[in-house]
Amino acid sequence: MNGWILAATVALGGGGAAALWGVTTGPPARRVIAQNLTTSAFCPALLLLAQGYGRPAYVDLALLLALLGPVGTLVFARLLSDDLSAQDASAWGLTWTAAVLGAAAVVALCVAVGPGRAMVKLLVIGVLLIGGNVIASRALAGGFRGVRGG
Amino acid sequence: MNRLRLWLLAVGGAGLAALLVAACLDLPGFGGRHHPYGDRAVQASLARHTANTISSVNFDQRAYDTLGEMSILFAAVLGCVVLLRQARDEHRAPPEPAEVARPVRRYALLVLPVALVTGLYVVAHGQLSPGGGFQGGVVAATALHLLYLGADYGALERVRPLGVYETSDAVAVCAYLVLGLASVLAGTAFLANTLLPYGTFNTLSSGGAVPLLNAAVGMEVASAVVVLLAHFLDQAVEIEEEHGS
Amino acid sequence: MADALIVVVLLLVAASATAAVAQRDPARQALVLSFLGTLLAALFTVLQAPDVGLSQLAVGSALTPLLIMLCVRKIRRRGRSKEDAR
């Protein structure tokens, strides 16, 4: 049980509980924001677990989540646009907080891993995660307003 | 007749229950560090220079089971294609082109090639790191549908000629079978991994036939998922019933 | 002490699975199922099964929600067109 696993436990437990509460209660706007939060909470947790267990192969899981998590949020943003048109789901404070925490985790891991191919992979995952998080939030906050039935 | 059928079911069920109880009493103890099958599987995987033992079990030691799983996916997609085809009292009404916010459109167009390449990377490294044909195939197919999510259905239809994907699905299943039959023609068992050299441990060229079977399964899963989603999308977005039916 | 992580994730899985069953509307259920899928992938990673976790992520993060939401859209469209034709 080292520091990395402890940090991963905090990320999984705290982020997971907050996302679960958001996804099960409230108006559709809050639910899709919580679904978006899932990706940005769990992807750094997977990176921390990869470092904590000493298994660099687990980083592939974080890469896939950074790529496909925002795609899942875009699915809901597009196909629930009727429900969301009444009330835009914008939570920019939460988005930027999650982005900053994710960036902090990636930087800490890059320092621990040292220069090389593994660091480049971590930086790519960090860029995909933060970019995807911001774009998914933009999509939820009215990105599909003009789409009718498509 | 109904009572006879129920009695037959009861007899079969009782036999199955007896066999299951006998098998459960013979299992190794729960929760220890020592598992006889695990030790043998890892030894066999290392002897064949496959770094990822799961891939070795899936595509080498129990490759026949993977053939069954691939056929299950093929049959399920075939069933969906039959169920979701356009009926006689339905017509196609393409929706109007959609205006999606520009950041979202640009993100979708940028990430689509990245996700596609990641899917192919996961398929190619199946024998080295967690992943393989199934996982990479699903990622590649999902990457293609970013075009629907970021633009609209017309854009996706332009890059997705459905006949090509249906053909490649069938071709991939046949490729898996042909790879298995190649071993039979060489004199060993079906899907035995003894034809190709085992290569250098922990590099891309290792594991014998495992990378080839990975590629076949990856192509099959990607095409099957694209065809499946195509029919769901057609029904949800384009096909409408005739009024008055 | 590494067991604490497994216990935390297992409790979350139990809670979210119960929440998924307790939802009534399919669209809301799809949202909870998307969360549950990602959480299950984390559980499989914590139990040292990354291959299964990768399969779960690939399927449950984008594919399953897309299938469910397309079905919901089809049903809503049919309901709406029947009301228009009346």
Side-chain angles (χ1 to χ4, degrees):
Chain A
M1 183 73 163
N2 50 30
W4 300 110
I5 299 186
L6 189 58
T9 313
V10 168
L12 279 175
L20 178 62
W21 173 80
V23 137
T24 46
T25 60
R30 186 199 294 176
R31 294 178 189 237
V32 291
I33 292 175
Q35 197 273 338
N36 192 15
L37 175 66
T38 315
T39 314
S40 30
F42 281 23
C43 190
L46 285 173
L47 287 174
L48 291 168
L49 278 180
Q51 182 70 18
Y53 288 136
R55 307 264 164 103
Y58 288 17
V59 166
D60 284 349
L61 284 147
L63 173 64
L64 240 71
L65 185 53
L67 277 172
L68 292 183
V71 175
T73 309
L74 282 180
V75 164
F76 288 110
R78 186 178 186 111
L79 293 171
L80 276 181
S81 57
D82 297 340
D83 286 345
L84 293 176
S85 63
Q87 168 196 20
D88 274 341
S90 69
W92 286 108
L94 195 57
T95 304
W96 291 117
T97 311
V100 162
L101 288 175
V106 168
V107 164
L109 283 165
C110 284
V111 165
V113 160
R117 268 176 61 185
M119 186 169 97
V120 172
K121 201 167 174 181
L122 282 174
L123 287 173
V124 166
I125 295 177
V127 165
L128 284 171
L129 173 66
I130 296 175
N133 186 21
V134 169
I135 295 294
S137 301
R138 172 71 184 85
L140 287 176
F144 288 104
R145 212 173 278 143
V147 173
R148 302 251 169 275
Chain B
M1 263 319 275
N2 213 15
R3 297 201 62 196
L4 179 62
R5 260 187 254 164
L6 283 177
W7 273 111
L8 196 59
L9 179 65
V11 166
L16 182 64
L19 287 173
L20 277 177
V21 167
C24 280
L25 289 175
D26 214 6
L27 283 175
F30 179 81
R33 286 195 163 270
H34 167 70
H35 196 287
Y37 184 67
D39 293 339
R40 288 178 173 78
V42 171
Q43 268 178 21
S45 156
L46 291 177
R48 299 197 163 176
H49 297 201
T50 312
N52 186 5
T53 309
I54 316 281
S55 274
S56 173
V57 170
N58 269 336
F59 293 103
D60 181 357
Q61 300 170 34
R62 316 222 41 111
Y64 192 60
D65 298 359
T66 307
L67 175 63
E69 289 173 18
M70 200 166 62
S71 328
I72 289 176
L73 180 59
F74 186 76
V77 170
L78 193 59
C80 281
V81 166
V82 167
L83 278 176
L84 296 177
R85 72 191 186 286
Q86 184 177 343
R88 215 170 298 176
D89 62 345
E90 290 173 340
H91 66 275
R92 279 185 187 250
E96 309 103 44
E99 186 64 35
V100 180
R102 197 177 291 176
V104 178
R105 236 187 303 157
R106 289 214 182 115
Y107 170 81
L109 289 177
L110 273 179
V111 169
L112 195 154
V114 175
L116 207 54
V117 167
T118 306
L120 295 175
Y121 154 80
V122 170
V123 171
H125 283 70
Q127 72 273 17
L128 301 178
S129 54
F134 175 72
Q135 293 91 328
V138 174
V139 172
T142 310
L144 199 60
H145 287 84
L146 259 178
L147 206 48
Y148 162 65
L149 292 173
D152 63 6
Y153 194 44
L156 178 63
E157 280 183 318
R158 222 174 283 165
V159 301
R160 191 207 62 194
L162 204 53
V164 171
Y165 283 92
E166 291 173 343
T167 314
S168 72
D169 192 357
V171 163
V173 178
C174 294
Y176 197 100
L177 280 172
V178 163
L179 282 168
L181 287 173
S183 304
V184 173
L185 289 176
T188 50
F190 183 61
L191 284 172
N193 190 11
T194 48
L195 271 189
L196 296 173
Y198 293 142
T200 323
F201 188 75
N202 216 9
T203 60
L204 266 181
S205 61
S206 61
V210 171
L212 298 177
L213 292 176
N214 254 320
V217 168
M219 187 162 125
E220 199 270 332
V221 170
S223 318
V225 169
V226 168
V227 169
L228 181 71
L229 277 177
H231 285 271
F232 269 82
L233 278 167
D234 275 346
Q235 278 286 338
V237 171
E238 281 194 347
I239 293 182
E240 283 179 4
E241 279 180 0
E242 304 282 338
H243 287 308
S245 64
Chain C
M1 261 314 266
D3 284 350
L5 179 56
I6 302 181
V7 166
V8 164
V9 181
L10 277 175
L11 284 175
L12 274 176
V13 166
S16 59
T18 313
V21 169
Q23 297 290 326
R24 285 285 143 220
D25 181 37
R28 300 185 171 189
Q29 224 172 19
L31 281 163
V32 182
L33 282 175
S34 164
F35 171 75
L36 179 60
T38 318
L39 188 58
L40 278 177
L43 173 67
F44 296 148
T45 312
V46 162
L47 291 175
Q48 310 295 332
D51 271 74
V52 187
L54 211 57
S55 302
Q56 174 64 47
L57 265 181
V59 166
S61 57
L63 193 60
T64 307
L66 183 57
L67 286 175
I68 299 179
M69 291 311 299
L70 285 175
C71 294
V72 167
R73 166 154 292 207
K74 172 72 176 180
I75 294 174
R76 282 189 189 169
R77 263 177 78 222
R78 185 179 278 175
R80 210 177 296 145
S81 72
K82 277 219 175 91
E83 281 183 16
D84 289 342
R86 236 186 263 143

